[in-house]
Structure formats: structure tokens, C-alpha cells
Amino acid sequence: MPKRLRMLLKALTLLVDVVAAAISFRLAYTLRMLIPFPTPLKLGPFRDYWLQLGIQIASLLATFYFYRLYQLRRNRSRIDLFYSVLAAVSIATVISTALGFLTFRQGHDIARGMIIYNWGLSVITITLGHTLMEWIHQRARRNHPDRLLLVGTGDVARMILQKTLQAP
């Protein structure tokens, strides 16, 4: 696959993560307004939470980078992807909650229920986004395969050729 296409896919994955995190945050805010769990609470307007959303997205992107979720891999199972996203989102949620607490000492504090909803929704939406991006990556690999040089015509070479043709 050409390097330019690989970089485009990485940038698109990053954009999908940002959009999924923003949608999760907005849905968490809406759910917290509608469902009084763990305690009834009146939240301020959503514009008061823009800085917290930025902190959440920045911590997610940094955590995903360190978890190597932006490196394009072949044949990763959906279960491995789910557990990687679950761990990365959990760490990013803890980091963003701590940074949000330090940032909003006298201002608007983020609600506990909203943190829980945001965590769960982020895991779901980001996993769906990464599954979609892996499908797109797989299609791009089929259209632009990597080059492979096989030396020899024995059984081992035929087996390697069959494996690469079955799972490009």
C-alpha cells in the first residue's frame, strides 16, 4: 500500500475517533439530563462543558497513540480491538477527569453520572469507528497490495503464497 494512502487512513482514523468522542460526550450530557443517576442534578448549558470535551478528546488521542491504536495492523481480531479500546478509553477517562478537576476547581465540575455515561458510550462508539476503519483498511489493502518476493517453488513457498492470497 502506498505511504500516502497509509497516512490518509491514519488521519481518517484519528478524525473518526474525534467525532466518536464528541458524539459520546454529547450523548452522555443528554443522558445525564434525562436520567437522574446516581443523584438528581441540574446541569448547566452544554457550552460550559466545551473545555472538558477538549480535554477528553486530547487525552483520548494521546492515550490511543501510546496504545498504538493508530498503527495499521493486519488481521487483528475484534475482541483484541475491543479490549484495547476499553483499556485506552478507561485510562483516558481517568486522565481527563483528573485534568478536568484541576481545571475546573471553582467553575463547573463534571457530573459523576456523565463520566460513567461518557466512558461507556465512548467504548461503544470508538470500537464501532475502529471496526469501520479496519474494514476500509482491508479494502484498501486489497486494491493496493504490498509486494512480496518468494524465492523458490517448493511446498513452503506455495503455502506462503496461498496464505497471502487468502488474507492480503
Side-chain angles (χ1 to χ4, degrees):
M1 180 178 343
K3 186 176 182 176
R4 186 178 225 168
L5 181 59
R6 193 173 294 132
M7 292 302 291
L8 178 68
L9 286 173
K10 285 181 182 182
L12 189 58
T13 303
L14 191 122
L15 180 67
V16 165
D17 285 346
V18 168
V19 170
I23 288 171
S24 299
F25 194 84
R26 178 62 185 185
L27 284 175
Y29 174 81
T30 305
L31 282 176
R32 185 60 182 110
M33 296 269 294
L34 296 175
I35 302 172
F37 175 77
T39 58
L41 179 68
K42 177 127 173 95
L43 293 175
F46 186 71
R47 70 177 178 272
D48 294 343
Y49 294 96
W50 279 106
L51 183 59
Q52 182 63 35
L53 175 61
I55 292 171
Q56 175 73 22
I57 289 174
S59 66
L60 271 171
L61 296 179
T63 307
F64 282 12
Y65 174 77
F66 289 118
Y67 263 76
R68 297 182 179 183
L69 288 173
Y70 293 126
Q71 289 185 354
L72 302 175
R73 295 185 188 171
R74 297 173 184 242
N75 300 331
R76 181 193 309 187
S77 72
R78 289 188 181 105
I79 294 171
D80 289 341
L81 174 68
F82 173 75
Y83 283 118
S84 296
V85 169
L86 178 69
V89 167
S90 299
I91 290 172
T93 301
V94 169
I95 291 170
S96 67
T97 302
L99 289 174
F101 175 74
L102 294 173
T103 304
F104 298 122
R105 279 195 176 163
Q106 295 145 352
H108 299 281
D109 198 12
I110 189 165
R112 289 171 296 178
M114 193 170 155
I115 294 169
I116 295 168
Y117 295 147
N118 185 35
W119 171 76
L121 290 169
S122 292
V123 169
I124 293 168
T125 57
I126 291 172
T127 301
L128 290 174
H130 274 259
T131 303
L132 172 70
M133 287 307 301
E134 283 196 4
W135 180 77
I136 291 171
H137 182 234
Q138 197 173 36
R139 301 282 295 180
R141 266 198 327 264
R142 281 201 175 109
N143 292 337
H144 303 283
D146 291 330
R147 295 179 185 188
L148 175 67
L149 175 64
L150 289 176
V151 178
T153 58
D155 292 336
V156 175
R158 280 192 216 107
M159 183 181 69
I160 291 172
L161 179 63
Q162 288 295 323
K163 278 293 233 185
T164 55
L165 290 175
Q166 288 174 357

